[in-house]
Amino acid sequence: MRGRLASVGAEETLLAEGWNLVLTEPGACATPHDIPLSARFIAAEVPGTVAAALEKAGHFDRENPEPLDTRDAWYLCRLFDAQPGDVILRFEGLATLCHVFLNGQEILSSESMFTMYELPVTLSGGDELALCFRALAPRLAEPGPRARWRPQMVTPQGLKNVRTTLLGRMPGWCPEIHAVGPWRPITLVRRDVVSIDNVSVRAVLEADGTGRLSVSLHTNVDNPDLLLGCGDIQQSFEKVGENHYSAILRLKDVDLWWPHTHGAPHLYDFSIVVDGVEHHAGRTGFRRVDVDRGAHGDDFALLINGEHVFCRGAVWTTADIVRLPGGKADYEPFLRLAAQAGMNMIRIGGTMAYETPDFFQLCDELGLLVWQDFMFANFDYPKNDKALTAHAHAEVEEFLHAVQGCPSLAMLCGGSEIYQQAAMLGLPREYWAGPITEEVIPAIAGRMRPDVPYVANSPSGGAMPFSSNAGVTHYYGVGAYMRPLDDARRANVRFAAESLAFAHVPQPRTLQRHLDVPPVHSPLWKSRIPRDRGASWDFEDIRDFYLEELYGEDPARLRREDRERYLDLSRVVTGEVAEASFAEWRRNGSTCNGALVWTLQDLMPGAGWGVIDSTGEPKPVWYALRRAFRPVQVVVTDEGTNGLDIHVLNETEHALQLDLELVCLRHGKQHVVSGGRILTLAPRSRETFAATDLFGAFFDTTYAFRFGPPSHDVTVARLRLPNGGLVVADAFHFPLGRSKAFHDAEIQVSVTRQDDAWGLDISADRFAQSVHVNVDGYRPDDDWFHLAPGTAKRVRLLALSGSADGDAPSGEITSLGGSRVLSF
């Protein structure tokens, strides 16, 4: 039996403790009574996984994982504290082939990791609850329907017939740690005298700005006095069927929910009053999401509350590949860093796993849009498999019901790279699609979340699914395909649901603490570098390509002769590529409406795809993205013989008065030419200026005409608060390349204390490239940044966990082009 029981009017007991794990050979024990007393019993936590329990007991090494799908895993628990009587056993997620026994009798057989079950049972006291997770490997080896294509990245192919995550099943992409166990909570639920279930919530923003909150529910009370409350308004429920009630409440001129880059993510608490007793029922927000496909149908842009929003962010992996946790405390550090970086969208890809309502509630609060793939990826899924279709129905309905009131949910997608796999193997268009993503999922989504747009697959929409100039793409022209930086413009990207994958090198202290081995040459280092299965290259090779392109250095020689310089160049190059790409995509006149980087976080310490390492420390590229994602931004683009264009963006809801400054520097110090303008930027506007208009005369800022020797090596654009105020945003252009703008700058620093927080005011006598701030016990709010002379940059210091912020900070400051180390 599957159901949805609300917590209103019900007592819930989480069955988290008292569990023991036993591993047996496949099929050796038919029931829990067959487990021999001599078996090794290991304490386990629920929710949790077999890998997590074994790791805690010292029997599993995530760095050298053993297969977990070749044995049966039994979870055993005595319910000594549970009172006898009728209860509902709720299983929120069982990975993956699971048989549930109560007092030795089987009460459930589950074959999907993504399905929730609620079972009415009668407890007698001291009951024994047992879960057997059958070995998955034998099932995967069974022959299934013949597939028209076989993806290379996922093994084994039998996974297309089983509803489980692909995490741990993609060699080269992630550690081969298999998801087994009760990965989501197990709860005992007792109905109260008054209980409410089947609660459905829908928040709609009407055209006149009214917020309409609709709630329906089922209750076992005869003729209850029911009220729906939100804001200062209450609305009575009406009976619409036997024990079924609904209410519609309208709030005039609601405060809208916005992604945090464009406004405030305003939320409303709502409650259900039952016979005079108020029960908090949740929080929701009012917003409208539309997709603009353009006049010819080949565009893809999100409109939030009628405004075009440039979506930027990253693809979520998991908070911990071993534990697969789903609590707020696990999500919050990563999602807060995403918001602090100026991201406004997170994508949960089809190769991952569904996250819990806590994830979406945090995104609601932080103003982060969520692009949600359903967990169908890469495979040719069977068309006429009734069991698979039933699983799809169940998981889609249950996921959407769990997040029904969340305004952060902005896009629903049938799956990932299914079309692409077929198309790249040369199969015709009629082979790409399947009924699950084309018929089953959109029908359910249209019924349960009509406020959220749906796309059948990512990528899709062009002549080929992966064509970047139409619809949704996965863009790796700059990146894996080693195209020059100007391909970011030439590709005419419309919306990149993933892009810019690199082996991002972590901060020095992360490597010192968690991967203190010779970089590149150590097998352990290399094992952490992501790669495509069967390819003769990995993503470190991709990073090295751009290191040579941008800095003119031979990576192989650097690794031999100056390892620290190699690592520092590796740290900054991926950020420079990202900043340059997003400058192209955010400039005035760009076709791009959004791009998400692959990925948000690493799964293991090392140079992985994540812009945050697995310990929660932002990598150098995170700081570059934070600069690239500023809502108030200035970017410069090289237009060749047309000169340098300066694009100014204001995505906020406020009109802004700012000063725009532009200066060209010779030897990083001498002003060659400069200009500026006082700006009044309208809300959510952008403007473009030619450099020559700011200078008032011709000047070869891009060194395109080459009349004589170059006159400058760096151009600096700044947006300031009026009257010489703080710098809001800056951008840099290197007409001769970055390596020609290395200067041994003299850096000065003063330690400041303001609003009970420490900070640094940093200045330089000449242009300093990629300035690195290393402070004991603190994380700077900016790092690896370029610093122009003539103004001090204020860097706030954030105390790390376990560090006291009372003592004055100390540390070192270096720059990539200089030989000096400034200690303070």
Side-chain angles (χ1 to χ4, degrees), residues 348-559:
I348 302 175
T351 55
M352 310 304 175
Y354 299 105
E355 299 297 349
T356 67
D358 281 351
F359 182 96
F360 291 84
Q361 290 161 11
L362 270 169
C363 290
D364 292 344
E365 296 170 13
L366 295 170
L368 292 169
L369 302 164
V370 180
W371 173 303
Q372 175 71 57
D373 284 8
F374 291 94
M375 298 302 126
F376 296 91
N378 298 85
F379 285 116
D380 177 24
Y381 291 96
K383 285 190 173 183
N384 300 310
D385 188 322
K386 292 183 179 179
L388 179 64
T389 301
H391 287 314
H393 269 280
E395 71 187 60
V396 172
E397 285 190 354
E398 287 161 12
F399 165 74
L400 291 176
H401 188 271
V403 297
Q404 58 186 323
C406 296
S408 57
L409 184 61
M411 277 299 306
L412 293 171
C413 180
S416 172
E417 294 191 351
I418 300 173
Y419 290 6
Q420 176 172 302
Q421 287 287 330
M424 282 193 162
L425 291 171
L427 296 174
R429 185 178 294 269
E430 57 266 25
Y431 281 73
W432 304 352
I436 289 177
T437 58
E438 306 292 327
E439 301 167 15
V440 174
I441 298 177
I444 300 171
R447 169 170 52 86
M448 298 187 69
R449 286 302 300 256
D451 60 313
V452 182
Y454 178 83
V455 61
N457 206 250
S458 179
S460 62
M464 287 283 104
F466 41 82
S467 298
S468 56
N469 60 358
V472 178
T473 191
H474 293 177
Y475 175 75
Y476 295 112
V478 174
Y481 307 140
M482 296 187 289
R483 304 286 297 167
L485 294 187
D486 62 9
D487 190 74
R489 177 184 295 201
R490 191 161 54 242
N492 290 321
V493 173
R494 301 304 183 111
F495 194 106
E498 58 188 66
S499 63
L500 302 179
F502 293 96
H504 300 295
V505 178
Q507 294 278 32
R509 62 185 172 199
T510 298
L511 296 182
Q512 291 166 4
R513 296 172 186 171
H514 301 282
L515 192 62
D516 192 14
V517 298
V520 182
H521 305 295
S522 166
L524 183 57
W525 173 280
K526 207 62 177 175
S527 69
R528 307 284 175 85
I529 303 298
R531 62 187 59 80
D532 283 329
R533 184 167 173 256
S536 60
W537 50 271
D538 61 27
F539 282 82
E540 189 150 62
D541 297 322
I542 301 303
R543 189 188 68 228
D544 284 352
F545 170 83
Y546 287 98
L547 189 155
E548 187 167 8
E549 283 284 299
L550 269 62
Y551 295 101
E553 297 269 17
D554 177 5
R557 182 173 180 176
L558 267 182
R559 289 198 299 264

